[in-house]
Amino acid sequence: MELLTWTPVIFTRNGFPRDEAGKPFLPGNLIKEAITSAVIYYYIKKDREIEAKVKNYLLRKGLKPSEVIERVKEIITDKYPVLSDLELPERIDLSSGEVYETRAEVFNLKRWEDEGSFKVEVFKGTVKLPISSPYLDKLKAAGHSFCEALAKMEMSMLKEHPLADNFYKPLLNDIKKWEIPLRVGMWTEVKFKGNLLFFWRIKEVRNALMEELKVDIRPTKVIYLPKEKCTTGWCELRV
């Protein structure tokens, strides 16, 4: 398979790790995290039993922020083992694309304003990605479900902002044509990223998490690249 980065990918503010020869690489776990986020959203939306179990868990008192996503993942994978046989390389070589430095802004979708900027390494290009899974059809459905929902949410928060028309509307049309859409790497600075996105329209859960954990379920602070005029991490897995 191949990984196509339709918009640049950030690993961390500190750039990409390097191998023994000093060449940058992308850790395979970053792709697994992106797939996991899609799977979480997809099965909560698809299965009412899963939705109820996750909802009941999130409404508990005394939640530990460090355990939330792992526990939600366990609820799903106990019934749907779609991540169990997923095999990815430990390191993904980036030499077939371009690693370069650019300016990034933390853009608040709720307030339409920048909350600071920083210089960061990004990767743009296409890389070979040997990936093995007996559930590629499920991963395709999950990728589309999650990424399309995420793009729609971000666009809806922007309302009349030019970025909605200039970037998100074309992006939504493009995503529908991708084989397996993923949101990869550092694309928001919100704690839970998009892992609890399904519940952002459910007032009871949204309010409970705001009270209990002091966090907005929505990934409201996205990473925007002014030079490239896009948000980061929109990728496609293609056979």
Side-chain angles (χ1 to χ4, degrees):
M1 299 188 75
E2 291 182 325
L3 178 71
L4 289 75
T5 61
W6 289 106
T7 68
V9 170
I10 299 173
F11 177 56
T12 68
R13 283 186 179 231
N14 296 322
F16 293 94
R18 260 67 179 175
D19 64 15
E20 296 76 8
K23 295 180 180 179
F25 65 88
L26 195 67
N29 276 343
L30 210 63
I31 307 301
K32 188 170 186 178
E33 287 175 10
I35 292 172
T36 299
S37 293
V39 165
I40 287 173
Y41 178 85
Y42 177 68
Y43 281 106
I44 293 174
K45 181 180 179 181
K46 178 183 174 65
D47 189 315
R48 290 292 181 86
E49 180 187 9
I50 293 290
E51 177 191 344
K53 284 184 178 180
V54 174
K55 181 179 178 181
N56 290 338
Y57 167 69
L58 294 176
L59 290 175
R60 292 179 186 173
K61 294 292 184 181
L63 285 179
K64 295 182 180 179
S66 60
E67 298 175 356
V68 168
I69 299 307
E70 193 59 34
R71 178 60 190 131
V72 170
K73 185 175 77 172
E74 286 174 2
I75 291 171
I76 293 163
T77 55
D78 281 349
K79 185 171 183 180
Y80 299 103
V82 293
L83 299 174
S84 59
D85 294 319
L86 179 63
E87 294 183 7
L88 288 157
E90 184 178 344
R91 299 178 178 183
I92 301 166
D93 179 47
L94 301 179
S95 59
S96 60
E98 181 184 8
V99 174
Y100 64 96
E101 191 175 79
T102 191
R103 185 169 70 90
E105 296 176 350
V106 180
F107 187 77
N108 190 308
L109 295 169
K110 288 196 292 187
R111 297 203 295 265
W112 294 11
E113 64 183 24
D114 300 330
E115 295 191 351
S117 64
F118 54 97
K119 285 280 190 179
V120 69
E121 273 190 336
V122 300
F123 170 75
K124 184 75 161 56
T126 300
V127 297
K128 295 289 184 183
L129 182 57
I131 177 172
S132 175
S133 171
Y135 303 105
L136 287 179
D137 58 332
K138 299 298 185 185
L139 300 186
K140 180 176 181 177
H144 276 280
S145 182
F146 176 64
C147 287
E148 289 175 28
L150 191 58
K152 285 176 183 175
M153 187 219 74
E154 292 176 17
M155 186 172 75
S156 71
M157 294 185 71
L158 287 165
K159 298 177 182 176
E160 296 85 19
H161 191 284
L163 193 60
D165 277 334
N166 298 339
F167 176 69
Y168 279 98
K169 280 188 178 179
L171 175 69
L172 270 167
N173 288 329
D174 290 341
I175 286 176
K176 290 178 173 62
K177 305 168 191 171
W178 298 353
E179 288 193 32
I180 304 177
L182 293 175
R183 195 81 184 272
V184 176
M186 179 184 168
W187 54 270
T188 180
E189 292 203 323
V190 173
K191 182 175 182 61
F192 294 124
K193 294 189 173 182
N195 285 297
L196 301 180
L197 181 67
F198 175 83
F199 292 102
W200 80 278
R201 293 186 185 275
I202 300 177
K203 188 176 182 180
E204 181 186 10
V205 178
R206 187 176 71 240
N207 291 347
L209 287 177
M210 183 62 76
E211 181 180 342
E212 185 75 12
L213 300 179
K214 305 297 186 289
V215 295
D216 192 332
I217 290 175
R218 298 172 299 178
T220 54
K221 298 179 182 179
V222 296
I223 309 300
Y224 177 69
L225 305 179
K227 182 181 177 183
E228 293 81 355
K229 298 180 180 177
C230 65
T231 51
T232 61
W234 296 102
C235 298
E236 176 190 4
L237 276 179
R238 183 184 293 175
V239 177

